[in-house]
């Protein structure tokens, strides 16, 4: 077994195999050196702050490939100025290596215009500012949509939502200022429906009901009646109803008279106009009538009995003229009430006794 392994034939085959392997490895490395230009390196030129056109020309002369990448626009640098290069300037790279250039763009990146048409102007301005658009002039135009944003203008041309504009572009906006008053209604009788629509829109009115006499929708039908009539004044945005037909107005006389009886009210001008006078009624304030107080009935208080103290009367006895004794005369003293007091007999001793006090009579009416 060992003898067979160390025989000269086996050893010869082994040497041949090792030689073939070494030769293949050497050829592989030689091919790689030739293919990759081993040992042939090129320094990266410094093209920073140059224009992109000059930088591309220099890289082409040195045998290097390039890629141009636009950075965020910076107004401090010139448009298309090279801001950065990778690999860094001075680095050694092989021939054909791709070098990346970062270039300042010509202007700001473009953005899409937001859909703010017919929106309230305050919210529309806020939205435009958020996306980076600057508002220049604000133009007010008569419209029934007061304070609504009607159009966006860029360099005098209308811009639709979704259009792309450079960021921080200055735009003008058209805002509605409210409807115009007392506009004369145009005469569209005799025009086609299509022509009438254009005239009504130009006069800042809107087309209302369009009734075709045959029930169709042919825009070439001729208008034979309109409401309101031409010459009337209305505010902007009011609707004008139209009646159209392929027949002539003479053939539609009955229909026109019927519409006149409905939409044209005749005013009798023979009666004198009624004058209305404005009367200013100032509020009057009357003092409330206070009834006089009812007479208060006073209840007289009973008076206490007054006692009169009679004055003592001294009688002087007259000398007797006869044999008998004369009786004293009764003296009458009138009272304050007109009553007469009865006479009081004198005592035998010649003195008049004290009279009893009488109660005073009080009359209550």
């Amino acid at each position: 077994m060992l003898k067979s392994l160390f025989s000269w034939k086996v050893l010869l085959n082994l040497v041949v195999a090792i030689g073939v392997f070494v030769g293949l490895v050497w050829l592989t490395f030689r091919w790689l050196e030739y293919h990759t230009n081993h040992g042939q390196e090129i320094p990266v030129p410094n093209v920073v702050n140059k224009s992109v056109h000059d930088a591309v020309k220099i890289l082409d002369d040195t045998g290097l490939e390039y890629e141009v990448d636009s950075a965020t626009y910076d107004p401090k640098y010139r448009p298309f100025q090279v801001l950065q290069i990778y690999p860094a300037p001075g680095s050694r790279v092989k021939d054909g290596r791709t070098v990346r250039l970062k270039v300042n763009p010509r202007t700001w990146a473009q953005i899409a215009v937001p859909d703010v048409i017919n929106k309230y102007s305050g919210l529309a301005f806020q939205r435009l500012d958020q996306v980076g658009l600057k508002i220049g002039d604000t133009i007010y135009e008569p419209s029934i949509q007061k304070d609504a944003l009607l159009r966006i203008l860029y360099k005098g041309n209308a811009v639709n939502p979704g259009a792309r504009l450079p960021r921080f572009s200055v735009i003008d906006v058209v805002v509605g200022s409210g409807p115009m008053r007392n506009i004369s209604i145009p005469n569209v009788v005799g025009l086609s429906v299509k022509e009438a629509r254009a005239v009504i829109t130009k006069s800042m009115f809107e087309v209302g009901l369009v009734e075709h006499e045959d029930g169709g929708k042919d825009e070439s039908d001729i208008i034979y009646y309109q409401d309101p009539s031409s010459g009337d004044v209305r505010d902007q945005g009011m609707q004008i109803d139209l009646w159209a037909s392929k027949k002539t107005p003479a053939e539609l006389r009955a229909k026109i008279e019927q519409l006149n009886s409905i939409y044209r009210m005749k005013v009798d001008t023979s009666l004198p106009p009624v004058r209305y006078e404005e009367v200013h009624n100032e509020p009057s304030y009357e003092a409330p009538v206070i009834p006089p107080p009812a007479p208060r009935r006073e209840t007289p208080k009973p008076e206490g009995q007054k006692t009169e103290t009679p004055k003592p009367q001294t009688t002087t006895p007259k000398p007797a003229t006869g044999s008998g004794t004369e009786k004293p005369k009764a003296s009458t003293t009138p009272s304050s009430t007109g009553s007469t007091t009865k006479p009081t007999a004198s005592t035998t001793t010649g003195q008049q006794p004290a009279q009893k006090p009488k109660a005073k009579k009080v009359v209550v009416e």
Side-chain angles (χ1 to χ4, degrees), residues 6-38:
F6 289 100
S7 64
W8 63 273
K9 292 183 178 180
V10 173
L11 293 176
L12 180 62
N13 293 331
L14 183 61
V15 172
V16 172
I18 292 173
V20 172
F21 176 76
V22 172
L24 291 175
V25 171
W26 181 80
L27 291 174
T28 301
F29 278 100
R30 291 295 297 175
W31 178 83
L32 289 174
E33 289 179 1
Y34 175 77
H35 183 72
T36 59
N37 296 324
H38 182 66

Side-chain angles (χ1 to χ4, degrees), residues 109-121:
Q110 291 187 342
I111 57 174
V113 177
D115 186 7
V116 292
I117 304 299
N118 298 329
K119 299 294 192 302
Y120 175 64
S121 58

Side-chain angles (χ1 to χ4, degrees), residues 330-332 340-344 355 358:
S331 61
T332 60
T340 305
T341 58
K342 294 181 180 182
T344 307
Q355 297 179 354
K358 296 182 178 179

Side-chain angles (χ1 to χ4, degrees), residues 184-211 219-232 238-245 249 264:
S184 179
I185 293 179
N187 184 12
V188 295
V189 175
L191 302 178
S192 65
V193 175
K194 184 177 181 180
E195 294 173 344
R197 290 182 186 274
V199 173
I200 291 173
T201 303
K202 187 177 180 180
S203 301
M204 294 182 291
F205 292 104
E206 294 184 3
V207 179
L209 172 68
V210 180
E211 182 177 340
E219 293 289 315
S220 63
D221 289 355
I222 304 302
I223 304 297
Y224 67 89
Y225 196 83
Q226 71 177 66
D227 181 65
S229 61
S230 61
D232 292 351
M238 295 293 293
Q239 292 185 349
I240 300 178
D241 297 335
L242 304 175
W243 283 261
S245 175
R264 305 286 190 268

Side-chain angles (χ1 to χ4, degrees), residues 280-331:
H280 297 280
N281 292 327
E282 297 183 356
S284 59
Y285 299 94
E286 297 181 357
V289 179
I290 301 175
R296 187 170 54 182
R297 190 170 184 179
E298 297 182 357
T299 304
K301 298 180 180 180
E303 298 181 0
Q305 295 181 352
K306 297 181 180 181
T307 57
E308 295 182 358
T309 306
K311 297 180 180 180
Q313 296 181 359
T314 305
T315 57
T316 304
K318 294 180 180 182
T321 57
S323 59
T325 304
E326 188 179 4
K327 297 181 180 179
K329 296 181 180 179
S331 61

